[in-house]
Amino acid sequence: MIWLTWRQLRTQATLTLAVLAALAAVLAATGPQLANLHTTAGRSLIQQLTGTDTTLYFAGGVAVLALPALLGMFWGAPLVARELETGTHRLVWNQGCTRTRWLLTRLALTGLVAMAAAGLLSLAVSWWAGPIDQAVATGGSDNGDNFVPRIDPAAFLIRGIAPLGYAAFAFVLGVTLGVIIRRTLPAMAATLTTYTAIQLVMPMWVREHLAPTTTVTVPFTLDRLANYALDSVSHVEFGKSEVWVTAEQTLDGTGHPAHGMPPGYADCESIKECVSTLTKAGYQQRITYQPADNFWTLQWSEAGVYLVLAIGLGALCVWWARKRLG
């Protein structure tokens, strides 16, 4: 069964690994130069990036982001659904191989290759982007650049070990939906839709609870009021550590949630005057955030959550194949 599974997988696996190897070669060729630039430029590295560096930064991120979804669609969904469509699964089951062994072998071997591909790509991109992440962590993107700290939701899912969990989950999700739906194209569409929905739910409602948060109460400043007015705060800087803000609340002079602005606020003619009005009235901001030091705790926790989901889906897949497939 292992040899048969590999023969069916080798073409798509070889093509995928060849593309990843080409991208890794580009990153390996340009990474040392970026590291040397960070050594000399420090936090001003962001302002000295070339167009090629910026393109590679975002292209690498898109690749890490897209790979698990593609693995779920093109490796997972057709794995069993195509066999069910053509009826070839009955031939295998009549050759002395139980459907449980057949399915578990395919899930394990193909799933491990999918995880390896996602892990290697994430490792390469995280290594290459390390100097940029370090520059951002020390305030190097304060000038409105499109670079965010790695704990920010926009960067978190394309760094570290989390993509291994994403790949495992997306692949097993595709297989499970293929077994249930029994049609390749509908299973592929359902896999993409479901995986995307889960990836939106995780940072919005789940991730912030995977590690202890920190809450501080701080006075309004010019920058904080400007961001508050624009409703665009995604992270703030306390000292030299970039953080991921998960909640903000305005407090009035009594320390309770404010239900409006103090008298005179509507008449202020500049942000500085608005800050003065808020300060005199005792208004403050209560900010809850995930500190940068929680990055790896969140990474391990989230990868674990996705692996548990993958194992659960795998059990459902095997049960469905044994009880519901004829």
Side-chain angles (χ1 to χ4, degrees):
M1 275 305 301
I2 294 178
W3 177 243
L4 176 61
T5 301
W6 171 247
R7 282 180 62 87
Q8 294 176 322
L9 172 66
R10 62 183 179 181
T11 300
Q12 59 198 44
T14 300
L15 177 61
T16 300
L17 293 177
V19 173
L20 296 182
L23 177 59
V26 175
L27 296 177
T30 57
Q33 180 181 358
L34 190 62
N36 292 334
L37 181 59
H38 178 256
T39 301
T40 58
R43 61 179 291 175
S44 63
L45 167 69
I46 304 299
Q47 287 70 39
Q48 299 187 33
L49 293 177
T50 65
T52 301
D53 294 331
T54 302
T55 299
L56 283 175
Y57 178 86
F58 289 106
V62 170
V64 177
L65 180 66
L67 183 60
L70 295 176
L71 292 173
M73 290 176 61
F74 293 100
W75 287 25
L79 190 72
V80 178
R82 185 178 292 120
E83 302 272 8
L84 297 175
E85 281 184 315
T86 59
T88 54
H89 64 292
R90 296 189 180 90
L91 177 63
V92 177
W93 294 347
N94 290 329
Q95 300 299 316
C97 178
T98 65
R99 62 185 69 186
T100 300
R101 179 189 170 195
W102 173 73
L103 186 54
L104 284 177
T105 301
R106 307 196 81 185
L107 278 171
L109 181 59
T110 312
L112 287 174
V113 176
M115 290 177 64
L120 290 173
L121 178 60
S122 177
L123 176 65
V125 171
S126 296
W127 167 79
W128 185 90
I132 297 177
D133 291 338
Q134 293 176 38
V136 171
T138 54
S141 62
D142 288 345
N143 296 327
D145 301 290
N146 293 321
F147 299 93
V148 296
R150 62 181 185 170
I151 200 171
D152 188 275
F156 182 88
L157 72 174
I158 56 176
R159 295 285 188 270
I161 63 170
L164 278 80
Y166 304 155
F169 170 73
F171 169 73
V172 180
L173 174 66
V175 177
T176 303
L177 290 175
V179 169
I180 295 173
I181 297 174
R182 304 192 188 194
R183 294 291 184 270
T184 301
L185 290 180
M188 292 173 67
T191 299
L192 178 61
T193 302
T194 305
Y195 176 75
T196 302
I198 296 295
Q199 287 293 74
L200 292 175
V201 167
M202 177 60 72
M204 293 176 66
W205 291 296
V206 179
R207 183 182 300 155
E208 64 181 275
H209 303 293
L210 298 180
T213 57
T214 300
T215 300
V216 296
T217 301
V218 295
F220 278 98
T221 64
L222 291 176
D223 291 338
R224 185 166 293 114
L225 182 60
N227 287 330
Y228 173 77
L230 294 172
D231 195 25
S232 62
V233 179
S234 61
H235 66 277
V236 296
E237 183 179 318
F238 296 101
K240 293 185 177 180
S241 297
E242 294 283 348
V243 304
W244 169 35
V245 172
T246 58
E248 285 189 277
Q249 189 175 43
T250 301
L251 305 179
D252 59 22
T254 65
H256 295 91
H259 298 290
M261 289 303 175
Y265 182 84
D267 299 326
C268 62
E269 298 179 353
S270 66
I271 294 181
K272 184 176 181 180
E273 189 176 337
C274 291
V275 169
S276 178
T277 301
L278 292 171
T279 301
K280 291 179 181 179
Y283 275 54
Q284 294 180 304
Q285 279 287 93
R286 177 183 293 157
I287 300 175
T288 302
Y289 65 94
Q290 285 286 354
D293 292 342
N294 281 358
F295 174 78
W296 283 110
T297 301
L298 292 170
Q299 281 277 319
W300 283 103
S301 299
E302 187 157 320
V305 168
Y306 276 90
L307 288 175
V308 169
L309 290 174
I311 292 172
L313 282 174
L316 172 63
C317 185
V318 172
W319 177 85
W320 195 281
R322 292 182 59 184
K323 303 296 185 181
R324 306 296 295 272
L325 295 183

